[in-house]
């Protein structure tokens, strides 16, 4: 063997599950030099996490593959609650929309993790040379603390080792989430055509087995699951506890006379426990079954259930008891597992803003709300563009602190929600109004409906920081972690009243608008693909009103001036829209104006490609898809407003057309001047 | 060299353009042994036909790739008419929806043919082993007329020869539609990632060059273009004539101050001719420019224009004249061609119902209405399932006659439309009301709006035959070609009044319905994928009305009986739904019933997979996508009705719930008994 290979990379991602893949796709979209390694020899093929929340689908859409997930997934439309009637007989006590109408253009859907990983892998391959290096395990990680604040340094050194095929093949019990495949034939039977190349690659692992190499990285993201190796290396831990509830999970093709088996259902039996039913794609149904076993390994508090005593026969037998008098059985079992609810969150999400943890590595909770994979992917969706912009020299390292301030609060909220929802779900239903120990079905329904907004992922509201220009509210960041002081933020505060429907800190809702140039309807979010760009949306109102037209002109003149954010923070030798994209959504009748009625900065001219036709939109009625009424939906008045949207679609700033210079003030708070 | 290889195949397709690929995908979906050969070495990469009509998108969706076309294409929303005002200055005289709202869930869109071919190739690969054999040319075709009526015979013998790379590389002028690439670099620059494998394969052609083989086929489909080799072999010809109008076509990235360049436009200049503007994907715009040159090759009537005198410089100069005072130029030219309008249609579409012609091989016309590729694909979409069902022994050969009776009428209608539209479009605009020689813009608009329905492809109405149970109307088949006599059809006539919105002979319109089992909204057409199956849709009305419930039960009993169409025409050793799929769309409130309130024939039970949850639908309001109101849209009364839909989504029969036996009578007219 020759000398150990040493290489340099901007970003090293450890773990190629959903959180790691989301990070990798961001890096691919932003053109950042990146490696991603995973100790497993292949991707996931069946079972495991599978809920796709509205916001996750919106994010996937922004990455270019939302339509694939939407098309292949099972859509869940209705949530049915079953509980005993007064005679103790199980009946449907209520039914409501599974996703509250109006929250998003997508609704909750279900698809197995293997397909979701496939979409990420395909998208990465489509737009970069980044590939997951499988059967590669990190063996050491050191940080040179002396240089962590130097943006150009590579302070992290990671040693990697190639595993043998045997080492890299999941033992199934250790794969993740306690999963155990039924048998190997089933495991392989879940392969789709897309995945055959993966399996072939597995058999080539041994060519490299045992080889070691050293990687020098600017940033490392540990997305390596609940038992995170990265977390141990950097000395962080999770805090929280477990409950006594033990749940079994079966993915089966059910044979049943239960009429709502294709609905999402919560079934509370009188005294045999509860079931959650999640209908899936390809006739599969996932059932979460509360188990009555209390056998534990060890006696101390917090000890774990003895899962060796749990098997699919036990789980289906419990299910049968809960669902009686309906029958349930199966001949096809795709996957199963058992778990004990544990709710834990990391005390810190990074060290030195150089090594970051994401996903299960910093928060664990029960899977029934379908939150785990979603929140994990959303962690790195938050982190990715920030690291990319720092690596590219566009922004200061200071914005990296907002990863922890923004995402730790979400993790804590999730734990709180999970705690409450799990207890209501696991509890015995109240027999009558006097039964104060039981769970009242009305309370459960109420919690479900309130939780609906939370679990959709669309209610996440990031606290004030350099990149969220709003008034300080320490409680908004839970533990009081303030990303940046008021000084650093230059104390720029949004004028939220100009667009009450567009909450600063939240993701921008999607409403249909029409392209001025070709009358095509677009969902606003479709105009904000995830490519690392900031968007400045100008809502000038009715530009046939001379006052508004004049204001738009002065905004355009400001944006086009030599000391505007565009000129100061965009490299002179790159494309003019490399960092900022300027969009207009006006409210004059579409047919009354053309793009030539708008300032040139919104329809830039190129000698080769002519005018840019994709920057001017209108709030008007479409021929085939109704009228979005975006001004009304966002509560924007005749006065109009300016909105700054982050690369992750969260609203940073809302301000007046009369203060276009505030946009430059905002970006000056964290961006690096490109003027030489 | 060894002996010449001889092989047997059910279907041999000659030509892998859109018509040939549609045929091949049908064969792939139906599992028919098929070969498809093309003399070109690679697929199309740029230029050529590119309009996608509503019906074509519906068909692509039924084949599993409509979403890809819809996503990648440019959607055309508005049609703008420009002509001189009274002062002779060009101005927008009118604007209307490019696709009449309500015609279809899709609207007209534009995408280059290379991508469309890619979708077909991918779908073929996804569901079969059929692959296009490129650089393979037929050299002889003979038919053994003695055995043409024997369904099991292989009466056609075709000799094939492998070409060299040089022979198989399009000379560009001969590629199709007179296309000439600008230069070779541009040609390759249009390659998408998906296509690189094609280019690599091209260089391997010479391995097989010169090899010959003999194919024995049951059926041959000649989809080999306007200069069809197949057509010559079987001695058929096209009839019709050319006009003097000559058009140039440019695919450019325009540099222009014309405000409607991203709209579909018709521009009539005062006396410099006309332009049609078709905005396309990726900033491209196609301009059809009427040329004033009248130079011809030869003097005789019908001689063709001398295209050697036409080049892009001449075309853009003419465009500039027509569009003045607006400027138009380009730096990027993707493709160009020139053509003379010729309208011709084949006298016959097949010989012995063994060798069929489709697409440009049997009809040619001007491309401006974007009809060519669409009608061509729809030819083989009509033919494919018929041949498949005959090859499988499900139906008599007699139904093959309906290919000509149904499609020749469409070709004739197309020629008539094209003739009228071309003249209105090519003509000089009238100066005022007294200018009777000029074209009045109101007449042009009127023709456009009337033509809108025609060009959408949704108005095709097939005449009476064994597979379209309606009253005889000889004129409906134009030249009076009657596919089958009244006797053969058993004179079954639909009761059209039971569903006036569902016209027998036309494609079934799409309206949203909800799945009873999971409340998910589906477009009705999504429930009718193209897989060769017939559908029997039962509309029982409100099944909470006991009378209607009883009628549904008697329909179910009839369908489930031993002498029903299901039992008689489905092979006992195959799946019960191999030939017929039974669907219900009821009108009781969704929440008032479950699938168990419906007869078992609509929710069949399997020991392995449990109940079938995908056959019962309801006309009710959805949570997120409104209410389709299908009963109202189709004009179905409380009485309900039974509807038979062909594998190509055309309505065959509408009848009463009280006469379920009529369905068996209908299928008995052309199906082969499977009872042994």
């Amino acid at each position: 063997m020759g000398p150990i290979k040493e290489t340099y990379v901007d970003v090293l991602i450890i773990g190629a599950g959903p959180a790691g893949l989301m990070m990798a796709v961001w890096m691919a979209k932003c053109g950042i030099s990146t490696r991603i390694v995973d100790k497993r020899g292949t991707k996931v093929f069946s079972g495991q996490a599978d809920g796709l929340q509205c916001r996750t689908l919106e994010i996937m859409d922004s990455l270019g593959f939302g339509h694939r997930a939407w098309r292949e997934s099972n859509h869940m439309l209705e949530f049915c609650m079953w509980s005993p009637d007064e005679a103790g007989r199980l009946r449907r006590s209520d039914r409501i929309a599974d996703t509250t109408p109006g929250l998003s253009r997508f609704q909750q859907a279900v698809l197995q993790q293997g397909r979701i990983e496939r979409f990420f892998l395909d998208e990465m391959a489509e737009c970069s040379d980044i590939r997951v290096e499988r059967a590669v395990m990190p063996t050491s990680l050191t940080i040179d603390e002396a240089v962590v604040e130097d943006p150009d340094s590579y302070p992290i050194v990671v040693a990697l080792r190639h595993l043998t095929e045997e080492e890299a093949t999941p033992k199934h019990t250790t794969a993740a989430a306690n999963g155990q495949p039924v048998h190997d034939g089933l495991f392989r039977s879940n392969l789709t055509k897309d995945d055959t190349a993966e399996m072939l690659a597995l058999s080539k692992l041994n060519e490299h087995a045992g080889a070691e190499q050293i990687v020098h990285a600017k940033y490392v993201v540990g997305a390596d699951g609940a038992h995170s190796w990265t977390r141990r290396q950097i000395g962080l831990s999770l805090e929280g506890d477990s409950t006594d509830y033990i749940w079994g999970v079966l993915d089966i093709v059910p044979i049943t006379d239960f009429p709502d088996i294709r609905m999402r259902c919560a079934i509370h039996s009188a005294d045999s426990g509860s079931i959650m039913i999640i209908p899936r794609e390809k006739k599969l149904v996932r059932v979460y079954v509360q188990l009555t076993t209390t056998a534990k390994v060890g006696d101390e508090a917090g000890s774990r259930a003895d899962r060796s005593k749990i098997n699919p026969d036990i789980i289906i037998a419990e299910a049968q008891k809960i669902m009686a008098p309906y029958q349930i059985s199966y001949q096809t079992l795709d996957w199963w597992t058992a778990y004990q609810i544990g709710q834990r969150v990391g005390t810190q999400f990074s060290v030195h803003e150089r090594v970051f943890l994401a996903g299960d590595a910093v928060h664990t909770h029960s899977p029934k709300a379908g939150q785990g994979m979603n929140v994990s992917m959303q962690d790195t969706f938050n982190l990715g563009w920030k690291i990319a912009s720092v690596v590219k020299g566009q922004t200061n390292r200071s914005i990296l602190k907002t990863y922890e301030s923004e995402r730790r609060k979400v993790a804590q909220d999730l734990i709180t929600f999970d705690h409450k929802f799990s207890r209501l779900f696991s509890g015995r239903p109240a027999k009558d109004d006097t039964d104060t120990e039981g769970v009242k079905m009305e309370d459960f329904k109420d919690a479900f409906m309130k939780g609906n907004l939370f679990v959709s992922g669309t209610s996440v509201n990031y606290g004030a920081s350099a990149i969220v220009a709003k008034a300080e509210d320490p409680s908004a960041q839970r533990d009081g972690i303030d990303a940046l002081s008021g000084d650093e933020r230059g104390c720029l505060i949004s004028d939220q009243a100009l667009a009450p429907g567009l909450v600063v800190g939240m993701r921008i809702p999607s409403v249909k608008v029409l392209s001025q140039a070709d009358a095509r309807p677009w969902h606003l979010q479709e105009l904000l693909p995830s490519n690392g760009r900031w968007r400045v949306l100008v809502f000038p109102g009715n530009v046939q009103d001379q006052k508004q037209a004049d204001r738009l002109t002065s905004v355009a003149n400001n944006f086009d001036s030599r000391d505007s954010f565009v000129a100061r923070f965009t490299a002179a030798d790159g494309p003019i829209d490399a960092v900022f994209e300027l969009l207009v959504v006006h409210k004059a009748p579409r047919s009354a104006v053309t793009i030539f009625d708008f300032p040139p900065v919104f329809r830039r001219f190129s000698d080769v490609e002519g005018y840019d036709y994709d920057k001017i939109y209108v709030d008007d009625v479409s021929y085939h898809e109704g009228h979005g009424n975006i001004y009304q939906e966002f509560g924007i008045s005749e006065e109009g407003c300016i909105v700054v949207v982050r690369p992750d679609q969260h609203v940073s700033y809302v301000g007046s057309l009369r203060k276009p210079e505030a946009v430059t003030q905002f970006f000056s708070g964290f961006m690096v001047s490109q003027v030489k």
Side-chain angles (χ1 to χ4, degrees), chain A:
Chain A
M1 266 171 71
I4 289 178
K5 199 173 133 197
E6 298 206 24
T7 53
Y8 287 77
V9 70
D10 288 334
V11 177
L12 173 66
I13 303 165
I14 299 172
L21 289 172
M22 176 66 83
M23 187 72 194
V25 164
W26 251 136
M27 298 304 99
K29 296 268 175 190
C30 295
I32 303 297
S33 122
T34 299
R35 289 179 64 180
I36 172 168
V37 299
D38 196 289
K39 65 184 177 185
R40 292 176 303 173
T42 63
K43 66 185 264 300
V44 161
F45 297 115
S46 67
Q48 305 212 17
D50 58 1
L52 290 170
Q53 304 299 354
C54 304
R55 180 58 189 153
T56 302
L57 285 158
E58 290 179 359
I59 289 171
M60 288 181 170
D61 197 59
S62 80
L63 292 166
F65 51 85
H67 63 294
R68 295 183 69 185
W70 189 237
R71 195 177 148 79
E72 288 191 26
S73 60
N74 186 54
H75 301 184
M76 290 196 300
L77 277 304
E78 195 167 79
F79 181 62
C80 293
M81 280 159 273
W82 287 70
S83 59
D85 63 14
E86 284 159 19
R89 195 187 152 86
L90 200 62
R91 56 71 169 101
R92 186 193 304 112
S93 58
D94 220 331
R95 60 204 314 168
I96 53 175
D98 188 62
T99 300
T100 305
L103 278 189
S104 168
R105 66 204 153 106
F106 297 104
Q107 291 90 48
Q108 288 202 80
V110 187
L111 183 63
Q112 61 125 319
Q113 188 173 330
R115 288 307 293 163
I116 295 165
E117 293 187 6
R118 165 56 49 205
F119 305 150
F120 278 95
L121 296 171
D122 287 350
E123 188 64 27
M124 262 164 58
E126 187 68 28
C127 60
S128 77
D129 295 324
I130 304 170
R131 299 291 181 275
V132 176
E133 299 170 48
R134 301 202 184 271
V136 173
M137 197 176 76
T139 56
S140 73
L141 183 154
T142 58
I143 307 175
D144 180 353
E145 299 190 4
V147 296
V148 291
E149 289 309 327
D150 172 5
D152 298 325
S153 69
Y154 293 80
I156 314 157
V157 180
V158 177
L160 298 176
R161 188 169 72 85
H162 284 267
L163 305 179
T164 63
E165 179 181 350
E166 195 180 13
E167 290 173 307
T169 304
K171 298 295 174 295
H172 304 311
T173 42
T174 59
N178 324 324
Q180 295 193 11
V182 184
H183 57 70
D184 208 50
L186 251 187
F187 177 68
R188 280 168 199 261
S189 76
N190 272 292
L191 283 180
T192 65
K193 250 186 198 177
D194 289 351
D195 287 334
T196 46
E198 295 269 337
M199 290 305 288
L200 292 175
L202 180 59
S203 62
K204 292 190 185 159
L205 292 182
N206 287 336
E207 289 174 21
H208 302 288
E212 297 209 7
Q213 54 177 301
I214 300 295
V215 178
H216 299 261
K218 285 183 176 168
Y219 296 93
V220 167
V221 177
D224 44 356
H227 303 289
S228 173
W229 173 90
T230 314
R231 189 178 65 221
R232 285 199 308 276
Q233 302 311 303
I234 58 177
L236 300 184
S237 59
L238 303 186
E239 287 181 346
D241 59 3
S242 298
T243 71
D244 282 344
Y245 299 113
I246 302 170
W247 290 79
V249 185
L250 298 179
D251 280 354
I252 57 175
V253 177
I255 298 172
T256 183
D257 55 357
F258 181 69
D260 287 353
I261 195 71
R262 297 300 306 170
M263 301 292 188
R264 185 170 172 208
C265 292
I267 305 175
H268 284 82
S269 71
D271 38 33
S272 301
S274 303
I275 280 188
M276 172 86 81
I277 290 176
I278 307 282
R280 295 181 45 186
E281 71 280 13
K282 294 182 185 164
K283 289 182 162 281
L284 284 172
V285 169
R286 171 165 292 187
V287 288
Y288 290 96
V289 185
Q290 188 177 350
L291 301 178
T292 47
T293 175
T294 50
K296 286 190 181 183
V297 179
D299 287 325
E300 67 277 25
S303 63
R304 303 187 68 81
D306 183 358
R307 284 196 305 274
S308 70
K309 299 220 171 80
I310 301 174
N311 61 46
D313 291 341
I314 287 177
I315 301 173
I316 196 74
E318 295 275 355
Q320 179 59 79
K321 265 199 283 181
I322 298 166
M323 288 178 69
Y326 296 103
Q327 303 289 319
I328 184 159
S329 63
Y330 63 83
Q331 290 204 18
T332 304
L333 171 62
D334 191 57
W335 185 79
W336 75 276
T337 190
Y339 66 90
Q340 194 165 9
I341 297 174
Q343 289 132 341
R344 296 184 181 83
V345 70
T347 46
Q348 271 178 256
F349 278 36
S350 88
V351 290
H352 308 299
E353 285 82 58
R354 283 290 184 174
V355 180
F356 296 85
L357 299 177
D360 289 351
V362 272
H363 44 74
T364 65
H365 38 81
S366 78
K368 278 191 309 303
Q371 288 295 289
M373 182 178 68
N374 293 274
V375 175
S376 294
M377 289 194 287
Q378 286 162 29
D379 282 346
T380 41
F381 188 65
N382 179 291
L383 178 62
W385 67 269
K386 295 174 182 172
I387 289 185
S389 71
V390 171
V391 168
K392 285 177 155 184
Q394 293 172 352
T395 58
N396 294 322
R397 272 181 40 80
S398 60
I399 71 160
L400 298 177
K401 288 185 181 168
T402 62
Y403 171 64
E404 181 170 310
S405 64
E406 292 179 345
R407 296 307 301 176
R408 189 157 184 270
K409 173 173 181 291
V410 172
Q412 288 172 315
D413 288 348
L414 171 58
I415 300 298
T416 306
F417 167 78
D418 185 41
H419 194 74
K420 181 174 173 191
F421 189 69
S422 288
R423 270 158 216 279
L424 281 170
F425 187 66
S426 303
R428 171 184 62 74
K431 291 192 174 62
D432 51 41
D433 285 350
T434 65
D435 179 3
T436 52
E437 287 198 357
V439 174
K440 291 198 174 53
M441 284 303 109
E442 304 83 71
D443 292 346
F444 179 65
K445 178 181 176 184
D446 190 51
F448 180 84
M449 290 181 75
K450 284 188 186 137
N452 211 308
L453 182 63
F454 178 78
V455 300
S456 74
T458 60
S459 66
V460 168
N461 188 345
Y462 294 144
S465 72
I467 54 175
V468 177
K470 64 182 179 185
E472 206 78 54
D473 172 11
S475 74
Q477 284 157 12
R478 300 280 293 203
D479 287 357
I481 299 165
D482 186 13
L484 293 172
S485 70
D487 284 348
E488 281 178 284
R489 291 190 288 107
C491 284
L492 183 68
I493 306 286
S494 292
D495 187 351
Q496 182 68 72
L498 292 174
L502 258 186
V503 180
V504 178
M506 293 177 74
R507 76 91 166 83
I508 193 164
S510 200
V511 178
K512 279 190 184 165
V513 295
L514 308 185
S515 165
Q516 176 64 46
D518 68 6
R520 178 168 174 175
W522 292 95
H523 253 289
L524 181 61
Q525 286 183 354
E526 292 179 292
L527 307 178
L528 311 172
S530 294
N531 53 23
R533 290 197 178 115
W534 289 78
R535 271 78 181 209
V536 180
L537 275 65
V538 181
F539 290 85
N542 184 344
V543 291
Q544 288 202 296
D545 172 345
Q546 190 59 46
K547 194 175 65 213
Q548 291 306 106
D550 290 345
R551 282 181 182 157
L552 179 61
T553 302
S554 69
V555 168
N557 289 343
N558 179 283
F559 288 0
D560 218 12
S561 71
R562 296 195 52 171
D563 50 2
S564 82
F565 60 99
V566 179
R568 284 172 59 187
F569 304 120
T570 305
D573 55 357
I576 187 72
D577 59 356
V579 185
F580 306 102
E581 198 173 14
L582 309 181
L583 300 169
V584 168
V585 183
H586 74 88
K587 212 191 158 184
R590 178 179 64 81
S591 61
V593 296
T594 77
I595 65 161
F596 296 108
D597 293 309
F598 292 81
V601 72
F602 300 115
R603 49 176 172 87
R604 287 190 168 111
F605 182 81
S606 135
D607 290 340
V608 175
E609 303 210 317
Y611 287 102
D612 184 341
Y613 298 100
D614 300 327
K615 300 292 187 280
I616 304 173
Y617 296 85
V618 53
D619 180 7
D620 203 346
V621 65
S622 70
Y623 283 114
H624 308 279
E625 302 179 28
H627 188 171
N629 280 309
I630 194 169
Y631 275 72
Q632 188 183 317
E633 291 290 321
F634 288 177
I636 300 174
S637 76
E638 303 289 309
E639 291 268 301
C641 65
I642 299 173
V643 178
V644 175
V645 181
R646 307 185 344 178
D648 59 4
Q649 298 185 340
H650 279 255
V651 178
S652 280
Y653 168 77
V654 173
S656 167
L657 292 181
R658 288 179 245 198
K659 291 198 297 181
E661 67 283 1
V663 178
T664 298
Q665 186 193 346
F666 169 75
F667 287 115
S668 302
F670 59 92
M671 283 211 160
V672 178
S673 171
Q674 306 294 325
V675 180
K676 277 160 193 158

